[in-house]
């Protein structure tokens, strides 16, 4: 493990995170800075300014991923890539995503301060729309970059106001037309992402660092139940095609069908859209989301494949359409990167353990392109996707120290 004079600054990193947290700040220390909004743009501008301070080159690609790059001594060497996302959930915290981007910036800032040039270039990326809360699914930036989907694959996806993903993307690209463009896709030497754990394990075991072994699989579905609007006071219940009641039947049937005695399968219905959404009209349409996760590929496939039948069986007078919008199989990170992170944590004198990720991350798609891994820091009470999300400045700094050491080892 290389010893170096480079020192990441706990204070600078924390101050930058707090500056970012002011953009889209909501009650309870939270953040609402969803993808491709003015807040997202403002956060990216902050990053661009900080990158300029250390002479990093800034560019964006066709998926609006934001790239900061510092050159290495070997111009032909593939870069080491690190980063995460700046977009948040509608009721999100200050650290989910933003931490990994700011930690990456802190790594190149620390090297800049110490006058260290690595052999390989180092790139820091802020991926577009990791959360998928405004435009489903998430990870559209990293999937476009990794080539799993064309960048136009989600053009027709709309947010709750009816704005198309393609429109919001074009708007943001236009707002950033002063930034140089780079081609979509690249082949880094390795990818390492720092992130808060978003679960309770590290804190419960009083550990500094999680060396992430892999990410459980996820599937997202959109279910649309169609009925007929009618007068709440006059239409006999027996004659109604009530999309609300039948959607509720479907959700309850699903929650029973997805019960797992071992409590490993994760089933969530987090969004419901009702039309016409009026107290005295029978609903003619209800759309709801399903987020299903499991660490085993076959179990995720098998349980998820039953969803359309369960939903159809719950219908009485309504019709239903089930559409799958996202399917990411469970992923194991590269053993060499896992070992490198573990060695870095050990060399820094931090307590650590191997841990699996319940959340999905852009690293899942970077791993299709190059060797990849992740570093977790503890989350207070395991709380995330919640304004109360918290990790202390000192805990975050430890994660960044491990990131710095890992990037140095990989970049030479
Ligand atoms: C990421 O935000 C996830 O939902 O896992
Ligand atoms: Mn995240
Ligand atoms: Mn998240």
């Amino acid at each position: 493990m290389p010893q170096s004079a480079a020192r990441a600054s706990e204070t600078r990193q924390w101050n930058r995170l707090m500056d970012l947290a002011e953009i889209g700040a909501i009650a309870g220390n939270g953040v609402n800075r969803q993808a491709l909004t003015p807040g997202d743009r403002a956060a990216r501008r902050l990053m661009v300014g900080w990158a300029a301070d250390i002479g990093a080159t800034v560019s964006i690609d066709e998926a609006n991923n934001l790239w900061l790059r510092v050159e290495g001594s070997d111009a032909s060497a593939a870069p080491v890539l690190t980063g995460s996302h700046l977009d948040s959930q509608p009721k999100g915290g200050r650290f989910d995503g933003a931490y990994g981007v700011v930690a990456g910036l802190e790594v190149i800032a620390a090297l800049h301060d110490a006058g260290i040039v690595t052999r390989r270039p180092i790139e820091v990326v802020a991926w577009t729309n990791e959360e998928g809360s405004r435009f489903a699914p998430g990870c559209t930036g990293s999937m476009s970059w990794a080539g799993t989907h064309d960048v136009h694959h989600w053009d027709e996806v709309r947010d709750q106001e009816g704005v198309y993903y393609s429109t919001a993307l074009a708007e943001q690209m236009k707002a950033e037309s002063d930034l140089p463009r780079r081609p979509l896709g690249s082949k880094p030497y390795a990818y390492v992402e720092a992130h808060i754990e978003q679960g309770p394990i590290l804190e419960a075991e009083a550990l500094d660092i999680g060396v992430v072994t892999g990410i459980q699989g996820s599937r997202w579905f959109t279910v649309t139940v169609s009925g007929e609007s009618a007068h709440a006071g006059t239409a006999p219940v027996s004659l109604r095609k009530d999309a609300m009641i039948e959607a509720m039947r479907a959700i309850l049937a699903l929650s029973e069908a997805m019960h797992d005695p071992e409590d490993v399968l994760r089933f969530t219905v987090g969004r419901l859209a009702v039309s016409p959404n009026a107290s005295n009209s029978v609903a003619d349409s209800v759309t709801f989301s399903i987020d299903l996760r499991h660490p085993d590929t076959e179990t995720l496939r098998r349980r998820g494949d039953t969803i359309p039948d369960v939903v159809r069986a719950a219908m009485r007078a309504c019709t239903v359409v089930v559409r799958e919008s996202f399917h990411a199989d469970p992923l194991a990170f590269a053993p060499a990167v896992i070992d490198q992170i573990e060695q870095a944590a050990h060399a820094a004198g931090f307590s650590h353990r191997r841990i699996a990720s319940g959340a999905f991350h852009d690293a899942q798609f970077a791993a299709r392109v190059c060797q990849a891994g992740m570093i977790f820091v503890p989350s207070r009470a395991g709380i995330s996707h919640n304004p109360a999300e918290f990790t202390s400045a000192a805990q975050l700094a430890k994660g960044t120290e491990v990131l710095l050491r890992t990037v140095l080892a990989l970049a030479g």
Side-chain angles (χ1 to χ4, degrees), residues 109-399:
L111 295 176
H112 174 265
D113 294 347
I116 293 170
V117 177
T118 50
R119 183 174 80 76
R120 296 181 179 281
I122 301 172
E123 292 182 333
V124 180
V125 62
W127 302 108
T128 303
N129 185 37
E130 190 273 351
E131 293 289 1
S133 51
R134 181 179 177 203
F135 296 108
C139 297
T140 52
S142 53
M143 285 195 280
S144 303
W145 170 81
T148 68
H149 294 77
D150 185 83
V151 65
H152 296 296
H153 183 79
W154 306 278
D155 276 359
E156 304 299 314
V157 172
R158 293 198 235 185
D159 70 5
Q160 289 182 66
E161 268 71 56
V163 178
Y164 286 103
Y165 182 73
S166 53
T167 308
L169 184 61
E171 194 184 351
Q172 188 137 307
M173 292 298 287
K174 189 162 170 244
E176 296 180 343
S177 55
D178 58 311
L179 300 179
R181 290 282 283 269
R182 65 180 262 158
L184 186 60
S186 57
K187 184 90 183 89
Y189 174 67
Y191 176 79
V192 189
E193 178 169 348
H195 206 284
I196 57 167
E197 180 199 337
Q198 308 182 274
I201 297 172
L202 294 177
E203 182 183 72
E205 298 182 10
L207 297 173
D208 300 318
I209 298 293
V211 181
V212 186
T213 51
I215 299 182
Q216 71 174 336
S218 328
R219 296 179 76 173
W220 279 17
F221 300 84
T222 304
V223 180
T224 303
V225 178
S226 298
E228 207 168 83
S229 188
H231 193 293
T234 60
V237 170
S238 59
L239 298 181
R240 292 181 184 183
K241 293 181 178 172
D242 189 332
M244 179 66 92
I245 297 295
E246 300 205 8
M248 294 305 137
R249 289 172 53 87
I251 292 169
L252 282 179
L254 282 166
S255 125
E256 275 167 30
M258 297 301 139
H259 174 71
D260 174 11
E262 288 164 13
D263 203 9
V264 176
L265 187 68
R266 302 271 183 267
F267 166 78
T268 306
V269 174
R271 172 181 282 176
L272 201 65
V274 181
S275 162
N277 208 23
S279 320
N280 47 355
S281 286
V282 173
D284 62 2
S285 163
V286 172
T287 299
F288 64 90
S289 61
I290 298 172
D291 178 313
L292 190 73
R293 309 199 191 194
H294 198 278
D296 177 63
T297 307
E298 262 324 295
T299 307
L300 181 69
R301 199 173 297 276
R302 188 168 44 76
R303 302 292 293 260
D305 285 352
T306 66
I307 285 176
D309 284 344
V310 173
V311 167
R312 272 193 291 269
M315 295 300 113
R316 290 295 175 267
C318 294
T319 58
V320 68
V321 175
V322 181
R323 202 177 62 81
E324 183 166 14
S325 67
F326 185 62
H327 189 160
D329 278 332
L331 174 105
F333 283 128
V337 179
I338 294 173
D339 288 348
Q340 198 71 66
I341 294 169
E342 201 160 53
Q343 284 172 39
H346 181 76
F350 300 151
S351 56
H352 57 89
R353 62 163 278 172
R354 292 192 174 203
I355 190 169
S357 175
F360 60 69
H361 299 283
D362 296 301
Q364 211 158 341
F365 299 99
R368 298 181 184 216
V369 176
C370 63
Q371 52 177 342
M374 288 187 77
I375 298 162
F376 277 176
V377 290
S379 290
R380 188 168 69 192
I383 295 170
S384 187
H385 285 191
N386 183 314
E389 186 177 88
F390 185 76
T391 305
S392 73
Q395 288 173 312
L396 294 168
K398 286 181 178 175

